[in-house]
Amino acid sequence: MAAHGKYEAIVIGASAGGLSALTTILGALPASFSLPVIIVQHRYRDQMNLLEEILQNKCKIQIRQVEEKEKVEAGIVYIAPPDYHLLIESDNTFSLSSDPQVSFSRPSIDVLFESAAATYRKSLIGIVLTGANKDGAAGLLAIKKAGGLTIAQSPEEAEYPYMPQAAIDKGAATLVLTLKEIQTRILNC
Amino acid sequence: MDTENIAFKELLDSIRLVYGYDFTDYAEASVKRRVNNFMANHKIEAIDQLAKMILKDEKVFEEFIQELSVTVTEMFRDPPFYKSLRETVLKRLATYPFIKIWVAGCATGEEVYSIAILFKEEGLLNRTLIYATDINQKSLQTAKEGMYPLENMKQHTANYQKAGGNQPFSEYYTAKYNTVMFDKSLKQNIVFAPHNLAVDKSFNEFQLIICRNVLIYFNQKLQNHVINLFYESLCPFGFFGMGNKESLLFSDKQQFFEDVDRKQKIFMKTK
Ligand SMILES: C[S@@+](CC[C@H](N)C(=O)[O-])C[C@H]1O[C@@H](n2cnc3c(N)ncnc32)[C@H](O)[C@@H]1O
């Protein structure tokens, strides 16, 4: 796995305002990016594949909605399907669950982040972007506690500052960066 | 493997040996999450401590099982699935003199009543018997009572309409205070019973099996086992409906199923 450096995966959580923030970050990634990128974006459950299609239009790297039990692979951006929690198993595969909402959300960023922290420990980068609730703060803290690198989008820049601010207030963010800085940071992984 | 993982595996093993509930082939991440929640809620510090409590006290075990399988469900969840079921499967089932259905992992029953409504509207319910099963006894009790919070009805009604329903939905239940009770005429042909997909056997032959959002909780090995169980329980040309994000990919019976509606995950047993 971690052939290219100290990290094995990147997880990103986004809510309101997430589409444009994600486009900025993912648009900069080459098709051959050396890590898997796994994303929970809060979304309406009726729009089955819309988010993936919009992002794919603007990105070189492959974007796809997670299929349950598939293996996590580098160079792919995985998006959690609407109405399911997304978790990462210790054997590097995805699983989905219909458990009740967490932080009023399904998929929940906390659920993804906490399971990813358990699997990747210090080889994980966690990023919390714009949003109007506090999903992701507890998950980011779990990543930090496991020794991973944690980043919150700068609340000044975020379209909806509440979510990155909640992560910062919880003491979960090692770095507070703008989207441009996040781009540079992950391109150098 | 670290010590916490070993303790976790030992916990599942002892539950299997002492109580006969087998969670060892469940997808681990969700089970771990739930175990951690349970421990946090009950202020239990370590897994061995939890194991001791569970194995000593059946009441604690009951609570634990409850937590491990609690879920949310709704009526006509994923309306296009029900629409397709109505349009493709029910027509073909109409040719049978007597129809048996198995709804596996029915949780609190909303799915079962949705199916009963479909069959009623197509004039098939009086010659249909629906077996609805789950491992969670408390959920089954709720399902049997058929009583749900009034506040959920708005969502359920919207789903029903999106699924192609065009009757006044409120005719299927009576509301009292904040609760609704589904009509006796729907319940008459439903049998609710405990059944554990991981350990129990087939118990009948069915023209239709519906098992949605249960297999996602299992690892590939258990998924294969359960799909084999369904395969054995289906009559020739019987139908099988799964959840939106589930697939037959990990089943060695995959080639014996044919797509009826690929997108809505409805299949037919061909052989
Ligand atoms: C997410 S719910 C699905 C409810 C409904 N089918 C739906 O799609 O909305 C999962 C259900 O599977 C049940 N379940 C879990 N393991 C099971 C097993 N081994 N055998 C039978 N049911 C099981 C749980 O108790 C829970 O009610």
Side-chain angles (χ1 to χ4, degrees), chain A residues 122-140:
Chain A
K122 62 181 189 330
S123 317
L124 180 67
I125 301 178
I127 305 174
V128 170
L129 301 176
T130 162
N133 59 29
K134 65 177 180 47
D135 190 20
L140 200 68

Side-chain angles (χ1 to χ4, degrees), chain A residues 98, chain B residues 26 69 71-74 77 105-107 111 134-136 195-198 212-214 217-218:
Chain A
S98 268
Chain B
Y26 278 46
S69 56
T71 38
V72 283
T73 177
E74 60 191 78
R77 174 180 188 170
C106 68
E111 188 179 39
D134 202 282
I135 49 166
N136 189 317
H195 181 279
N196 185 338
L197 292 167
R212 307 191 75 220
N213 303 309
V214 181
Y217 288 96
F218 300 165

